[in-house]
Amino acid sequence: MRPILSLALLVAAVAQAAPRFPTSAAFLAQAEEAPSVPAPGAETSVPPPPAAPEPKLEAPRAPASRPEPTVPTEAAKAPSVQPALAPVQEELPVQEDTEPAVAEPAREHDVDAPVTPDDAPVLASSDEAPRTTDAQQQRLVNGAPLYNPNVSLHIVQKKRFADEGKHELALYPAVVQVNGKYTNHAGTALQYIYHLQENFGLQVTGQYNWHTNESGFNLELIDKVREQAQAASSLLLVWGAQAGVEVTPLYGKFAFLDNKLAQFSLVFSGGAGIGSTRHLIRPAMSNEVDGQRYDVPARFGDTGTKFLGSVGGGFRLQFGESYALRLEVRDLIYTARVDRVDGCNLADFDKMEAAARDPSQSFAALQLSSSCDYQRFDGVDRKTKKNYRDDIILGRDLVAEPSSDVLNNISFYAGFSFLF
């Protein structure tokens, strides 16, 4: 009976002390209900430590309130780790830790570091390195790296202004012959071009030579030895009209004044048409009549229209969309056969020469060809007192030996054009 009484007293004592001394089972239940607090470095999984032995009961102490732990948002997604049971020790006031550091998003680049532009060149291989690390010099200009800030162009691009379907009107104020051994020409030309395609166009050209004369070398031969070059070498071109084509096989551009662009084209042209010619009959001379001296101008004879062809090439330098500068060299080719002078053939000159021996005989009574302008070989000039019948023999010499040669008149064309 005594052992049973002792056991009852022990149970009553334990029950009375239960509010202040939790049992092991109650402690485990409280630990399971409390939220799990991740250990430092909860971002990585930590294997649970081995279970600790059941804590020993100590003297009862007054319970202290414990604040709820702050759980980071990132930590909630991490696997929970069961804390190890440690012996109950004297609880001290817990200070709230600072907020856990949240990982900042990675920055695209540092503010102080050089920024590589979006259009920076892509290296072909890892072994290749850019020639500069400066962001401004790595900037692409027209598809190429601007290693040198003074360079504005690096690659060939498409034409800035298309020519297809456009009209072009070109004026050449200065057309000067460059192979003037026996003749000298200077004139003006006007040209119209329709660009049928980007590199092909149709053209019509008109030219008038306001200065046509024998060369100084040929005039010296006439003055000193009374000889002159044959008509095949000294035939003069007065005007010409042609139709032809223009081809532009090459084009490009260059920079000037640092930030200005000009577009140039290499052009080749060819055409055919007709041209009016003339030949020197008598150079300028002095005429003395009754002790008075008169200056007689040079006398030219019309040699008719001839077949005219041309080939040439040069550059067209375009500024903006509508204006261009043209520099070309052309070879004008025309037949040099002289079989008529002022419309008179060899038979006409023979009849006029025979009639000129009698001053009283008129050329109107002669049976001459309908195209012969005999009045240019008859009469006396009132101003210079020059007798035009003296020129008959000079005209006859030109048609006495006709030639089938071809004359090449190579000229330099400088002008400008307007595109619309």
Side-chain angles (χ1 to χ4, degrees), residues 180-184 213-223:
K181 183 178 182 180
Y182 298 110
T183 60
N184 285 328
N213 199 359
E214 303 280 341
S215 66
F217 173 72
N218 201 25
L219 292 176
E220 187 177 1
L221 290 177
I222 297 173
D223 182 54

Side-chain angles (χ1 to χ4, degrees), residues 282-297 379-388 390:
R282 171 180 36 81
M285 57 177 296
S286 297
N287 184 27
E288 187 173 350
V289 179
D290 299 332
Q292 189 173 358
R293 192 180 187 89
Y294 300 94
D295 292 331
V296 182
V380 179
D381 189 0
R382 296 179 180 181
K383 295 181 180 180
T384 62
K385 308 301 180 182
K386 175 64 178 174
N387 189 349
Y388 290 141
D390 296 338

Side-chain angles (χ1 to χ4, degrees), residues 180-201:
K181 183 178 182 180
Y182 298 110
T183 60
N184 285 328
H185 291 82
T188 301
L190 183 65
Q191 184 178 33
Y192 166 76
I193 306 168
Y194 174 67
H195 295 276
L196 190 62
Q197 296 179 356
E198 188 65 26
N199 298 322
F200 180 81

Side-chain angles (χ1 to χ4, degrees), residues 2-340:
R2 183 176 294 179
I4 295 173
L5 183 59
S6 299
L7 182 58
L9 293 175
L10 179 59
V11 171
V14 171
Q16 186 178 1
R20 291 180 300 174
F21 297 94
T23 60
S24 298
F27 186 83
L28 290 176
Q30 184 180 2
E32 289 177 358
E33 293 177 359
S36 59
V37 180
E43 288 78 9
T44 58
S45 301
V46 180
E54 183 178 355
K56 296 180 181 181
L57 298 177
E58 295 182 359
R61 292 183 176 86
S65 62
R66 187 171 185 177
E68 293 293 332
T70 303
V71 181
T73 305
E74 291 80 356
K77 299 180 181 180
S80 60
V81 180
Q82 297 292 338
L85 297 178
V88 177
Q89 298 179 358
E90 182 179 0
E91 295 181 1
L92 298 176
V94 179
Q95 297 180 355
E96 292 184 3
D97 296 335
T98 58
E99 294 183 3
V102 180
E104 298 182 0
R107 297 181 180 178
E108 294 183 0
H109 54 77
D110 194 358
V111 176
D112 298 332
V115 180
T116 302
D118 297 336
D119 57 353
V122 180
L123 301 180
S125 62
S126 59
D127 299 335
E128 183 182 0
R131 289 186 251 175
T132 179
T133 57
D134 185 78
Q136 176 64 20
Q137 294 188 11
Q138 283 189 5
R139 181 171 57 89
L140 294 185
V141 176
N142 295 332
L146 186 64
Y147 295 122
N148 185 355
N150 295 325
V151 179
S152 298
L153 293 177
H154 300 268
I155 63 173
V156 176
Q157 290 182 328
K158 293 183 178 180
K159 295 177 68 175
R160 297 176 60 203
F161 308 108
D163 291 337
E164 183 176 359
K166 284 191 174 182
H167 306 268
E168 183 174 2
L169 190 63
L171 175 64
Y172 301 93
V175 179
V176 182
Q177 184 181 1
V178 296
N179 65 333
K181 183 178 182 180
Y182 298 110
T183 60
N184 285 328
H185 291 82
T188 301
L190 183 65
Q191 184 178 33
Y192 166 76
I193 306 168
Y194 174 67
H195 295 276
L196 190 62
Q197 296 179 356
E198 188 65 26
N199 298 322
F200 180 81
L202 304 177
Q203 66 177 11
V204 177
T205 306
Q207 178 176 339
Y208 174 74
N209 293 325
W210 33 264
H211 172 74
T212 56
N213 199 359
E214 303 280 341
S215 66
F217 173 72
N218 201 25
L219 292 176
E220 187 177 1
L221 290 177
I222 297 173
D223 182 54
K224 292 183 177 180
V225 298
R226 302 302 176 183
E227 294 288 343
Q228 65 177 346
Q230 294 182 350
S233 302
S234 57
L235 194 62
L236 303 174
L237 178 66
V238 181
W239 59 264
Q242 313 176 64
V245 297
E246 181 178 274
V247 181
T248 309
L250 297 175
Y251 72 90
K253 63 177 178 294
F254 62 90
F256 68 100
L257 299 179
D258 292 338
N259 58 352
K260 302 295 183 181
L261 289 179
Q263 180 175 292
F264 70 90
S265 303
L266 178 65
V267 296
F268 294 101
S269 61
I274 59 173
S276 176
T277 60
R278 73 176 185 175
H279 199 280
L280 178 66
I281 296 179
R282 171 180 36 81
M285 57 177 296
S286 297
N287 184 27
E288 187 173 350
V289 179
D290 299 332
Q292 189 173 358
R293 192 180 187 89
Y294 300 94
D295 292 331
V296 182
R299 164 73 188 281
F300 294 89
D302 183 12
T303 56
T305 57
K306 307 294 182 183
F307 171 81
L308 180 65
S310 69
V311 292
F315 291 92
R316 186 186 73 175
L317 188 61
Q318 185 172 349
F319 301 93
E321 187 175 359
S322 301
Y323 299 97
L325 178 67
R326 280 181 167 264
L327 302 174
E328 302 178 42
V329 175
R330 298 183 185 181
D331 184 9
L332 300 179
I333 306 170
Y334 48 94
T335 58
R337 182 180 178 86
V338 177
D339 52 6
R340 290 178 179 271

